[in-house]
Amino acid sequence: MGKLYVVGIGPGGLEHMTVKARQVIEESEIIVGYTKYIELIKSLIKGKEIFSTGMMKEEERCRAALRLSKDKVVSIISTGDAGIYGMAGLVLEMRKDEQVEVVPGVTASSAAASVLGAPIMHDSCNISLSDLMTPYELIKKRVEMAAQGDFVITLYNPKSKGRPYYLKESIEIIKRYRKGHTPVAIVKNALREGQKQQLFTLDSFDDSDADMLSVVIIGNSQSFVRNGIFITPRGYKL
Ligand code: SAH
């Protein structure tokens, strides 16, 4: 009897993977994942059978993982948390009677927040600017509602060559609801090789360095930067 683990491997640096994620990967006979993510954990999976595919092959990957898990222990991996823009949903939607366990991981928003200080200390939300499966009109509506609701916002998939203006347009929407001095940060490759962070305000925001390896965090009405540290207060009276 096999089993399928849907594993969030964290932001990339192996020390940021959970102990459980590491255990199930070690236990697995087969590892399934996007080629670039397999690369991130290659030192852990020597000698294992690997099933990797390029981007946009998610369904194929899930189908293979489910089929292989009928009689083998298999891990299908996502970066960050498998349940946040990862593989967990699709696997569970496609599953019939296979045994599946979801293993959580540190998502990009938490990883980036730790690099910056404590920007998502209060109510927050994640919005992906990818329109591959969500119409742009709906994305913009969510950005607007989140801005109006004063949520700290983490933008995933902030900018790609195919949609270079979505990030700028989202920032313009948010500006209608927040002051120009509101902190905004781009964190690229959080907690993995190549980490780079930049701090701006809504008024000074420059999206040149944002890409698909970054998240953008926009503070709420109370957020501030002190000595280079981005903080959203929880509300304690100091
Ligand atoms: N399941 C992942 C998200 C996958 S969507 C998670 O929970 O983190 C892919 C997007 O996540 C990227 O375009 C980028 O916006 C973000 N991302 C993933 N890892 C990141 C990292 N280490 N640093 C910055 N952004 C990251």
Side-chain angles (χ1 to χ4, degrees), residues 41-231:
I41 58 163
K42 66 170 189 270
S43 63
L44 292 184
I45 57 176
K46 285 198 183 98
K48 294 187 191 291
E49 202 179 316
I50 311 288
F51 186 99
S52 63
T53 60
M55 214 54 170
M56 307 296 294
K57 293 278 173 72
E58 284 89 355
E59 284 174 63
E60 188 187 312
R61 239 180 284 148
C62 283
R63 201 169 295 116
L66 284 163
R67 174 171 42 81
L68 295 165
S69 76
K70 287 190 197 293
D71 42 29
K72 294 220 164 131
V73 180
V74 181
S75 280
I76 182 166
I77 61 166
S78 291
T79 55
D81 188 298
I84 300 177
Y85 313 120
M87 299 301 278
L90 186 55
V91 167
L92 292 173
E93 282 182 72
M94 292 174 73
R95 163 203 199 189
K96 296 201 175 72
D97 53 4
E98 300 87 350
Q99 215 196 325
V100 176
E101 183 177 334
V102 180
V103 180
V106 176
T107 191
S109 147
S110 303
S114 75
V115 170
L116 298 167
I120 56 173
M121 269 307 290
H122 213 290
D123 300 338
S124 68
C125 67
N126 298 329
I127 300 176
S128 167
L129 296 191
S130 168
D131 63 356
L132 288 178
M133 278 174 290
T134 309
Y136 186 43
E137 285 311 308
L138 180 56
I139 295 172
K140 282 197 290 191
K141 182 176 177 188
R142 287 182 177 156
V143 169
E144 175 149 17
M145 296 294 107
Q148 191 175 34
D150 203 27
F151 287 94
V152 175
I153 302 169
T154 303
L155 299 174
Y156 282 66
N157 303 301
K159 196 171 139 203
S160 76
K161 292 201 181 79
R163 43 177 177 79
Y165 307 116
Y166 289 14
L167 176 56
K168 269 198 187 120
E169 286 170 4
S170 297
I171 294 292
E172 287 309 312
I173 293 171
I174 296 167
K175 269 182 165 172
R176 291 192 224 134
Y177 298 90
R178 303 221 180 141
K179 299 223 163 69
H181 60 72
T182 304
V184 183
I186 300 176
V187 184
K188 183 167 179 166
N189 291 315
L191 304 184
R192 68 185 177 210
E193 214 180 298
Q195 178 179 299
K196 184 180 172 195
Q197 65 268 28
Q198 287 174 292
L199 267 177
F200 305 95
T201 63
L202 276 176
D203 279 345
S204 72
F205 186 66
D206 174 357
D207 77 341
S208 316
D209 275 357
D211 60 12
M212 293 298 276
L213 301 173
S214 337
V215 286
V216 177
I217 300 185
I218 300 111
N220 71 12
S221 59
Q222 307 303 307
S223 303
F224 61 90
V225 172
R226 184 190 291 154
N227 301 327
I229 307 290
F230 185 164
I231 301 172

